Amino acid sequence: MSDEAARLAAFRKDIAAWIEDACPASLRGRALGEDSIVWGGKRWAFAHADQKEWFDAAVAKGMTAPMWPTEVGGAGLTRPEEKIYREEMARLNAPPPLESFGLWMLGPALLHFGTPEQKAMHLPPVVRGEIRWCQGYSEPGAGSDLANVQTRAEDMGDHWLVNGQKIWTSYADKADWIFALVRTDRSAPKHKGISFMLIDMASEGVTTRPIRLISGKSPFCETFFDNVKVPKDYGAGGSAIVGELNCGWDVAKYLLTHEREMIGGGARGLLGGRSMGEFIGSLEESVAQDPVIRAEAMALEVDSLAFALTMERYKDRAEGGKGVGDASAMLKYYGTELNKRRYELLMSASGSAGVEWDGPHGSLAPEWLRTKANSIEGGTSEVMLDILSKRVLGMPSS
Amino acid sequence: MSLSLLETEDETMLRDAARGWLADNAPVAALRKMRDAGQAFDTGLWREMAAMGWSGVLVPESSGGAGMGHRAAGILAEEMGAVLAASPYLSSAVIAATALQGASEKLAAIAGGELVYALAVDEGTKHAPERASLHADRIGNGFRLSGTKVFVAEGASADRVLVLARTSGAAGDALGLTLFDIDAGRAGLSRTAKATVDSRDHAELRLEGVEATGEDVVGDVDNAMAVLAPALRAGQAGVAAEMLGVAGGAAAMTLGYLKERKQFDRTIGSFQALQHRAAHLWSELEVTASAVAHAGRMLDADPEAAEMAVSLAKARATKTADLAVREGVQMHGGIGMTDAYDIGFYMKRARVAAEWLGDYGYHAAKVAAARGF
Ligand SMILES: Cc1cc2nc3c(=O)[nH]c(=O)nc-3n(C[C@H](O)[C@H](O)[C@H](O)COP(=O)(O)OP(=O)(O)OC[C@H]3O[C@@H](n4cnc5c(N)ncnc54)[C@H](O)[C@@H]3O)c2cc1C
């Protein structure tokens, strides 16, 4: 064995021992429904003591953000180490100790574009789950055509005055801060007058109104900005604007590649954490043997396994955990379409037991409905295919 | 296991070298020429491939091979698939070389390109090794083989044939099978070349009282699977890689056409309906490329545990090649239907390769079984 292989083998042993020790047995193997996620934030309440115990242990070791640098509270793992960490987490059925938009989206953008002050102010609270962020991109007139955002920020000398409306803001009513795309130059072409702004949701003039989804839940909101004063400078925390003024589109796009990679990856290990084999095994015999259901289950298993390998291959290719760039559109497209197929199979195989809001399969029906958003949120499948055909395949524009 | 699927520098060099050589020496035009001449493959070309070490890709250096391993073998197969290069590479250098592990002299002859092998396994219309019923009856110290094998790749031109025969048990039993290594000229063996749509060599073999001795048995009597299973896995991974190449070649030809063909005063590649289909195809290719690389890596790292990885690759490659060639013909319009244009060759090879060594359903079921259902 090479030195590196020996080192990684030792790492695997240590990290597995740590997970076994730090993650209480009660959390392991539990279904990974939306309700069991730890999101963090000022108003966060843990569901039970075991959840908090695991979270605290992970924060202390930086393992809520395994690949982030240790200066901001991360664990500073290399890519091979992080891969082993995830493999061991999966093997031991341990849930992620913390998930958040701060970890998935804002963090990577700040690590890339942020000033040292911005990183020092915003990243450690994300790692520690103290501040929960939401994403203020979409507006009623700016969905797929995101660069059409109209929410504006006027320069008032020492502060910005923000007015406008965002929509589909996930968890805006539970978030502490929002990263928003605002127009700072209305005379510039639409991609050139946007800035990426960090705003405290507790600011006067910010209000949210929940919107109910077809799944019956209300995780997203309309978010209104009514003469909201945003300091230009958060003291030692640096500017409210990430990246250059009027260059927010670059930050926005970079963040989206991370968001898309993350959403695409969500297609793995679903079925409420159950494997396809266990799922088929749990069905009534006549259903488990149904040739149509079996054929689709096999096809899904083939595609899911190959997709999971692709996810790893892309991550291996991305240098130093920097993200996979435009190819994230493929992961997002493929992973979300796969996930929707998976839930269609789950529903049809569950038969009449699947159509109850809270039946023998628990929250299957709402989860199934929720998956329909996978190919819309973070950029629709059609937009992903546009990106791939233009930027990856070099197809001519009309 | 965290095997990296990224190509090493050596692998990329091998790929680039193979691509360059194949473009010059074995473009699709070469296949067309051979088809028109009624020839299945070009022996001169195969000798040149042998000189580059391709026929010895899986033969250890101690037996005169290049010992490059299965991932490298897959890279070569993929590049050959991309230009539809016809050769006995998979039958001889991948399958037979794996089945004959340890038989130093034969391996040396395979590596040298002097001996071309074929594998005769199936008797029905679908791949099913354990259903073999061609029988080898014990006569004194030897055997007498009678029966028919179909869809034998390189069957008409091979010098030697690995024949799967039943020495005990009934069709359907995995045990009771024996693998024989028979000279193609042996008395009682007749071969009928079949004109398959891909213009490659596929033959039906009839054995009528073909005599064999214990010397001709590969591995142990009644236990062919011990040597055949690894050979089949190697071949399946190889044909999956070839099909990935076929898919990639068809897709590249189609993308090129989308950027060049004009209708309604614009290039047809500017139509979103076609762009999205092209992008979808590209996505499927990327996902399949991972499965193919993974199969090669698993065969190199842990061949006994590689069965699921191999079936995953063959299943994915079959589906993706099918999509690529169908989209390829459709997006070319009328010209795609002409014999004079090359895209049709891709469709024909993909259909034949889809059936060889297990179709989509065969391999998807193997994946499912490995995953517990
Ligand atoms: C559950 C959920 C959570 C979300 N969370 C957030 C969030 O936290 N923050 C946030 O900012 N946003 C969020 N969104 C918004 C999401 O990003 C947008 O819904 C998405 O970008 C699509 O925009 P739209 O809804 O305006 O649809 P539209 O852009 O109006 O699209 C309608 C249809 O037209 C198609 N279409 C549009 N343009 C083209 C084109 N050029 N070519 C072909 N087809 C096209 C689309 O693919 C779609 O099928 C969320 C959405 C959902 C469903």
Side-chain angles (χ1 to χ4, degrees):
Chain A
M1 214 189 289
S2 69
D3 287 358
E4 176 65 359
R7 199 184 62 74
L8 288 176
F11 175 81
R12 187 184 291 277
K13 225 174 116 219
D14 291 349
I15 207 72
W18 174 73
I19 296 168
E20 295 243 38
D21 182 55
C23 183
S26 71
L27 296 182
R28 301 224 228 122
R30 200 179 266 193
L32 271 180
E34 214 169 354
D35 297 337
S36 64
I37 293 174
V38 176
W39 291 107
K42 286 183 184 161
R43 285 165 286 167
W44 181 254
F46 288 95
H48 39 81
D50 285 356
Q51 206 180 46
K52 183 169 185 325
E53 186 186 325
W54 173 220
F55 168 85
D56 286 341
V59 167
K61 210 174 154 66
M63 294 306 273
T64 50
M67 287 183 81
W68 289 14
T70 47
E71 301 89 84
V72 298
L77 299 193
T78 63
R79 162 71 183 143
E81 289 168 345
E82 187 258 357
K83 209 165 156 182
I84 289 171
Y85 167 60
R86 271 188 300 105
E87 283 170 0
E88 292 303 309
M89 288 279 282
R91 188 177 64 80
L92 296 166
N93 260 318
L98 174 71
E99 293 177 69
S100 76
F101 288 18
L103 290 172
W104 291 331
M105 303 183 208
L106 179 69
L110 276 186
L111 285 169
H112 192 73
F113 289 97
T115 60
E117 293 77 21
Q118 287 172 324
K119 290 180 197 174
M121 175 180 178
H122 299 294
L123 293 181
V126 167
V127 178
R128 294 194 299 262
E130 292 161 1
I131 296 291
R132 183 169 179 182
W133 287 84
C134 65
Q135 177 184 36
Y137 275 28
S138 306
E139 296 181 6
S144 298
D145 186 10
L146 181 59
N148 195 39
V149 287
Q150 301 299 328
T151 295
R152 62 188 189 278
E154 283 166 272
D155 188 340
M156 308 300 280
D158 64 336
H159 68 273
W160 300 101
L161 192 65
V162 178
N163 278 288
Q165 184 199 342
K166 296 288 172 183
I167 195 166
W168 324 129
T169 327
S170 293
Y171 307 112
D173 53 340
K174 302 195 171 62
D176 305 304
W177 282 66
I178 185 168
F179 50 91
L181 298 182
V182 296
R183 194 156 291 285
T184 37
D185 183 352
R186 281 198 274 173
S187 59
K190 70 178 180 181
H191 294 89
K192 307 271 185 206
I194 298 169
S195 296
F196 188 102
M197 191 173 276
L198 309 177
I199 304 172
D200 188 338
M201 290 292 278
S203 312
E204 203 174 317
V206 179
T207 50
T208 61
R209 197 156 66 203
I211 308 169
R212 200 167 137 108
L213 283 174
I214 55 175
S215 62
K217 306 200 171 180
S218 309
F220 61 15
C221 301
E222 289 176 289
T223 305
F224 301 93
F225 298 91
D226 187 9
N227 286 322
V228 176
K229 284 185 182 172
V230 176
K232 280 197 167 166
D233 222 71
Y234 291 113
S239 170
I241 286 175
V242 179
E244 298 290 310
L245 182 67
N246 295 325
C247 294
W249 187 243
D250 294 334
V251 185
K253 277 194 304 185
Y254 179 82
L255 181 145
L256 280 170
T257 63
H258 284 270
E259 177 179 2
R260 287 167 183 163
E261 182 182 328
M262 180 280 298
I263 298 175
R268 288 174 304 149
L270 287 170
L271 290 173
R274 278 170 298 171
S275 75
M276 185 70 85
E278 282 167 27
F279 166 67
I280 297 281
S282 76
L283 298 173
E284 288 169 20
E285 183 62 18
S286 62
V287 182
Q289 295 305 328
D290 179 299
V292 175
I293 286 174
R294 280 190 70 78
E296 175 60 5
M298 285 181 193
L300 262 171
E301 193 69 353
V302 165
D303 293 345
S304 304
L305 289 168
F307 179 69
L309 291 170
T310 306
M311 197 80 198
E312 295 304 324
R313 181 162 70 88
Y314 274 46
K315 284 190 188 173
D316 280 342
R317 201 166 67 184
E319 271 170 46
K322 281 210 180 86
V324 304
D326 286 341
S328 61
M330 193 280 268
L331 299 176
K332 206 267 171 186
Y333 165 64
Y334 209 94
T336 59
E337 295 295 337
L338 206 52
N339 198 34
K340 288 195 298 179
R341 255 173 78 197
R342 212 170 239 279
Y343 270 86
E344 285 300 330
L345 173 73
L346 218 61
M347 285 299 286
S348 67
S350 303
S352 60
V355 299
E356 292 177 51
W357 282 114
D358 190 11
H361 293 284
S363 59
L364 177 62
E367 283 167 33
W368 158 68
L369 288 162
R370 177 61 181 80
T371 62
K372 301 306 176 200
N374 295 161
S375 52
I376 299 171
E377 57 200 321
T380 68
S381 280
E382 291 76 14
V383 168
M384 295 307 98
L385 291 170
D386 262 4
I387 290 173
L388 292 175
S389 60
K390 304 238 164 61
R391 294 204 215 132
V392 179
L393 302 181
M395 288 295 174
S397 27
S398 43
Chain B
M1 211 191 327
S2 41
L3 295 170
S4 169
L5 301 181
L6 298 186
E7 254 167 43
T8 63
E9 266 178 49
D10 283 354
E11 287 165 351
T12 303
M13 274 168 56
L14 177 72
R15 183 186 289 286
D16 291 346
R19 185 173 297 177
W21 188 85
L22 287 161
D24 292 340
N25 296 281
V28 184
L31 174 73
R32 175 185 298 282
K33 223 166 117 191
M34 282 189 292
R35 179 200 63 171
D36 294 344
Q39 211 185 338
F41 70 88
D42 176 347
T43 44
L45 203 71
W46 180 234
R47 237 172 278 123
E48 285 180 53
M49 291 182 182
M52 290 186 292
W54 296 5
S55 53
V57 64
L58 294 181
V59 174
E61 288 175 78
S62 55
S63 299
M68 289 189 277
H70 292 275
R71 178 66 191 120
I75 288 172
L76 291 175
E78 184 185 338
E79 292 304 322
M80 291 187 218
V83 291
L84 303 176
S87 85
Y89 174 75
L90 289 178
S91 292
S92 208
V94 173
I95 297 172
T98 305
L100 297 169
Q101 280 304 315
S104 208
E105 278 176 28
K106 287 173 181 170
L107 289 178
I110 289 174
E114 298 127 39
L115 265 190
V116 168
Y117 266 90
L119 175 71
V121 166
D122 291 317
E123 299 171 17
T125 54
K126 291 282 177 183
H127 178 63
E130 66 290 342
R131 296 214 54 83
S133 66
L134 179 147
H135 50 103
D137 303 323
R138 279 172 194 274
I139 309 289
N141 273 341
F143 301 86
R144 190 171 286 159
L145 281 65
S146 294
T148 301
K149 293 286 177 185
V150 300
F151 200 39
V152 180
E154 268 63 65
S157 48
D159 304 301
R160 297 188 72 85
V161 190
L162 296 175
V163 179
L164 183 65
R166 188 157 288 287
T167 32
S168 68
D173 296 348
L175 283 174
L177 293 166
T178 304
L179 192 66
F180 291 89
D181 178 354
I182 307 273
D183 190 294
R186 199 169 285 185
L189 175 65
S190 58
R191 317 192 256 181
T192 313
K194 296 282 177 180
T196 48
V197 293
D198 63 346
S199 312
R200 304 265 298 252
D201 175 1
H202 294 277
E204 183 175 300
L205 268 55
R206 282 178 82 88
L207 286 80
E208 287 171 271
V210 173
E211 308 263 346
T213 68
E215 295 275 284
D216 299 325
V217 172
V218 185
D220 296 323
V221 173
D222 282 345
N223 195 17
M225 285 307 171
V227 286
L228 184 61
L232 286 173
R233 282 199 291 271
Q236 287 154 347
V239 72
E242 183 197 336
M243 293 184 87
L244 172 65
V246 170
M253 184 177 278
T254 306
L255 289 178
Y257 194 70
L258 292 181
K259 290 178 187 171
E260 159 200 314
R261 169 72 174 163
K262 283 211 167 87
Q263 284 292 282
F264 302 97
D265 297 321
R266 48 199 269 212
T267 44
I268 56 171
S270 67
F271 293 117
Q272 197 188 44
L274 300 189
Q275 290 181 340
H276 284 193
R277 281 160 61 181
H280 173 76
L281 172 57
W282 181 81
S283 305
E284 295 289 5
L285 276 162
E286 283 292 298
V287 173
T288 296
S290 310
V292 166
H294 182 242
R297 287 270 184 271
M298 282 299 288
L299 283 170
D300 286 332
D302 192 356
E304 290 306 309
E307 186 177 27
M308 184 182 89
V310 168
S311 283
L312 183 65
K314 177 64 163 72
R316 280 289 317 181
T318 301
K319 266 279 160 76
T320 302
D322 172 56
L323 179 71
V325 298
R326 282 190 290 106
E327 289 289 62
V329 169
Q330 177 65 21
M331 291 195 218
H332 274 86
I335 201 167
M337 286 300 297
T338 63
D339 184 70
Y341 201 81
D342 287 342
I343 192 80
F345 282 115
Y346 284 87
M347 179 169 270
K348 295 166 192 170
R349 180 58 191 157
R351 185 83 277 285
V352 174
E355 293 301 327
W356 195 33
L357 304 179
D359 65 3
Y360 178 80
Y362 178 90
H363 288 289
K366 279 217 187 293
V367 171
R371 298 286 289 176
F373 64 101

